[in-house]
Amino acid sequence: MTPDTETHRLHPALLWLQRALTAAALLALGFLVLVYLLYFLSLLRFPFDYDQGEGFELWDSVLLARGDAFYRDNTVFPFYSSNYGPTFRVLLTPLVLLFGPHLWIGRTWSFLMTVGIAVLIGGNVWREVKRPALAALAGMAFLASNTVYHIGPLYRSHTTMVFFGLLAVTLMARIDEVRHRQRTILLALVCMMLAIYTKQLAFDAALAVFVFLFLRKPRESILYGLAFVVAFGLIHLLLNATTGGMWSLNAFGANANPFVTGQAETFTWQWLSLHRVIVLLAALYVVYAVYFDRISVYALYFVAGVIPGILSGKWGAGPNYFMAATAAACIGTGVLLGVIANRLGEQAGRNRPARIGLAAWGVIVPLLFIAQAWFNLHLPLDHPLTRPVARALGIPAEAEGRFRQSYYDTVGYTQLGHLITQQDIAAGWYIVEVLRAVPGPVWSEEAMFPINAGKEVVTNPTQLLNLYNQDRLEMDEMIGMIEREEFGAVVFRARFYPLPVLEAIGQHYRVSEQVEMNGFTYDILLPTP
Amino acid sequence: MRHLLDLWNGRKPITKRLAGIGVALAGLGIVLGVLAVDFAGFGKETGLGPSQRLAIAGGVTVLLAGLPLIALGDRPA
């Protein structure tokens, strides 16, 4: 943790204490990275939706590979449309064409995106303060975050958005140093466009980048900003024109759900509580950058990154909305701690308090990361590699009120994070066999059952529900098909469908059997005789 | 005018003071905007709702964050 030039003045016992604590911090965060790897490998084996929505993201790439649009009219069969930007889907389409419609493709991609984000965090910290252990700890702190762990290895677009957003921020941080300044800015803007067209939440990176550019070069900021808005608008118009307005309706209209303040407060407090060390240090870094140094793009990214987090108070949103803020917090933490160490290091030769401060820094900083790892603690309790650690930490194998006995998480209740069992996989294939055996299309709340059964995906449930709640969904055709019992079977998990659809299915289909998979009960309904 | 041209051409940097004024005005704008929306009757309920109170708190925070910057004078932002 402390460079050689600074260590020769330390008492050997203190030096070894610092080294031991640094190793302990790396070990603590390294353990959580190992847990993340185990989770990722476990998910690779599971060809069904772990999180409702993964299969739909895959289906978009399947549609594109077939030459079909994925922004479609929800009122006509198969009543399906995507509701996210195209970047993630387009990037994965060649891989889906190459390997087939498998979830492991997107899960591996998203996992690598999170690793890429961690590398960017470490790289930025290293660039700013030249302290390798600190850079490593900052990067690992990102992978140790509960939220990153939960969402990271899923076939979802969020990590791709954060990666491109952070890449734009990283490039922008270098514009005063690079030889090809204009080229670097253009590249940053391309990354930002990719991020925004992955998910609109990437406006945080755009805000940070343009405010930063404005502070440095107002003219460049305004001219590039105008060019960016024009390019954004042209892509938007092109998407709208080629999809008959379905892009606008599904990606913007259907996502405009009412703001629920209580939910936003819950997620915000949860994020603050789980990441209290790095959030506090990042906030101090913002104060330092704004009032005592030049305002950095990292400081702006942290402030801007909190905004989408606060906007998580709407139906369908989740704690992952804070992922960009978490990445920015890791950078802010690393840079702040590095700046403190470097300032102390500069004065340690001639200043006794600075020497004491530097010695204390070497002890306190690893302890801060160990504390952060403790607040983020999550681990499976039934895996041979993690069970001994759980025992050592005093986590009981059985605990009243714990959502899953096989998994511990400081978040408390979470549907994500546990490891998949062989029974889960078998249950998924059982449902697929049932769907294969029935004639015609099937109405499934999750996409991977029909995909694995070799059938078309029918409906994107939450999309239908959002449009119905906004009174923008015409349901005559789908209810007609349900009433004529044209679907061979129906599979429900959460019943996130418009009420008239649920009523029609209730009148024309009966529950044939219930299958437990991944901790949830799936109802298989067959037409009434 | 000359000062603005210098800023525009990058001959002079944006100062902490200027940044502070901008941030404080943005905060003030948020507060006034929320109150104006409520005054115009767009809110579904009478009085300020929880979302509006949250937005006003955010606006006041931004306003307060901008004020000390103004005092930092001509240092580059």
Side-chain angles (χ1 to χ4, degrees), chain A residues 397-467:
Chain A
E398 300 264 324
E400 202 178 330
R402 197 158 67 208
F403 181 52
R404 291 175 201 274
Q405 295 302 338
S406 62
Y407 176 67
Y408 173 84
D409 198 316
T410 45
V411 166
Y413 172 80
T414 169
Q415 294 183 356
L416 307 172
H418 58 281
L419 301 185
I420 287 299
T421 66
Q422 205 54 43
Q423 289 83 354
D424 293 326
I425 297 171
W429 283 118
Y430 176 76
I431 295 173
V432 169
E433 286 309 316
V434 172
L435 300 191
R436 277 182 183 151
V438 299
V442 292
W443 180 290
S444 173
E445 197 168 346
E446 289 183 359
M448 286 317 294
F449 297 127
I451 290 174
N452 282 317
K455 299 198 176 200
E456 288 289 297
V457 170
V458 179
T459 81
N460 182 346
T462 52
Q463 187 71 353
L464 297 185
L465 186 56
N466 287 346
L467 290 169

Side-chain angles (χ1 to χ4, degrees), chain A residues 120-144:
Chain A
L120 287 177
I121 291 168
N124 280 310
V125 173
W126 161 252
R127 176 182 163 273
E128 296 293 329
V129 297
K130 303 285 184 291
R131 289 183 178 257
L134 195 56
L137 286 168
M140 287 162 80
F142 175 76
L143 295 176

Side-chain angles (χ1 to χ4, degrees), chain A residues 255-261 263 311 313-315 466 469-470, chain B residues 44:
Chain A
N255 281 326
N257 293 319
F259 188 73
V260 184
T261 313
Q263 182 178 316
L311 295 179
K314 66 185 182 89
W315 196 82
N466 287 346
N469 287 335
Q470 295 176 26
Chain B
K44 286 177 186 164

Side-chain angles (χ1 to χ4, degrees), chain A residues 21-271:
Chain A
L21 285 172
T22 303
L26 286 167
L27 199 66
L29 290 171
F31 172 73
L32 290 175
V33 175
L34 171 73
V35 171
Y36 185 47
L37 189 64
L38 293 175
Y39 175 52
F40 163 62
L41 293 173
S42 168
L43 285 175
L44 285 188
R45 296 168 45 229
F46 188 59
F48 303 103
D49 288 80
Y50 184 83
D51 178 44
Q52 199 177 21
E54 284 187 285
F56 296 118
E57 303 231 23
L58 167 61
W59 187 243
D60 292 339
S61 290
V62 173
L63 289 172
L64 193 60
R66 292 194 324 207
D68 294 335
F70 46 78
Y71 302 115
R72 307 163 129 199
D73 186 351
N74 293 277
T75 65
V76 297
F77 183 82
F79 318 115
Y80 177 86
S81 177
S82 176
N83 61 330
Y84 291 116
T87 305
F88 179 65
R89 287 129 183 77
V90 171
L91 287 173
L92 288 184
T93 298
L95 297 173
V96 170
L97 263 172
L98 191 63
F99 297 109
H102 302 294
L103 285 176
W104 64 260
I105 298 168
R107 286 173 178 165
T108 305
W109 174 281
S110 293
F111 175 79
L112 292 175
M113 287 288 112
T114 58
V115 174
I117 294 166
V119 169
L120 287 177
I121 291 168
N124 280 310
V125 173
W126 161 252
R127 176 182 163 273
E128 296 293 329
V129 297
K130 303 285 184 291
R131 289 183 178 257
L134 195 56
L137 286 168
M140 287 162 80
F142 175 76
L143 295 176
S145 161
N146 311 62
T147 312
V148 176
Y149 169 80
H150 292 154
I151 309 292
L154 299 180
Y155 198 123
R156 304 305 302 262
S157 52
H158 201 89
T159 55
T160 303
M161 177 202 75
V162 176
F163 175 78
F164 281 123
L166 181 56
L167 194 54
V169 167
T170 302
L171 287 165
M172 202 50 80
R174 285 151 176 75
I175 56 162
D176 288 336
E177 300 159 18
V178 289
R179 229 162 16 121
H180 307 291
R181 180 187 166 86
Q182 302 304 325
R183 203 182 297 172
T184 306
I185 295 175
L186 274 174
L187 198 56
L189 297 189
V190 168
C191 290
M192 225 154 57
M193 193 68 81
L194 288 170
I196 282 187
Y197 272 103
T198 304
K199 276 179 103 171
Q200 296 98 320
L201 284 175
F203 71 82
D204 54 359
L207 195 61
V209 161
F210 280 117
V211 171
F212 177 73
L213 197 54
F214 183 80
L215 292 175
R216 294 294 196 272
K217 300 272 181 187
R219 187 176 64 166
E220 277 184 3
S221 158
I222 289 168
L223 294 179
Y224 277 117
L226 283 172
F228 188 79
V229 168
V230 169
F232 177 88
L234 286 175
I235 295 170
H236 179 81
L237 290 173
L238 184 72
L239 283 168
N240 245 354
T242 52
T243 61
M246 287 301 127
W247 151 253
S248 237
L249 174 72
N250 288 294
F252 291 91
N255 281 326
N257 293 319
F259 188 73
V260 184
T261 313
Q263 182 178 316
E265 284 173 1
T266 302
F267 288 147
T268 304
W269 283 118
Q270 185 190 68
W271 177 69

Side-chain angles (χ1 to χ4, degrees), chain B residues 15-73:
Chain B
T15 61
K16 294 275 186 192
R17 179 189 293 124
L18 209 54
I21 292 169
V23 171
L25 285 177
L28 192 65
I30 292 169
V31 174
L32 293 178
V34 174
L35 292 174
V37 165
D38 190 66
F39 184 72
F42 288 112
K44 286 177 186 164
E45 297 158 14
T46 51
L48 291 171
S51 307
Q52 288 165 314
R53 282 202 295 271
L54 194 70
I56 287 177
V60 171
T61 307
V62 172
L63 173 67
L64 292 176
L67 294 179
L69 266 177
I70 297 172
L72 292 176

Side-chain angles (χ1 to χ4, degrees), chain A residues 380-396:
Chain A
L381 304 179
D382 55 354
H383 192 280
L385 283 176
T386 57
R387 199 185 300 125
V389 178
R391 274 202 215 108
L393 294 173
I395 300 169

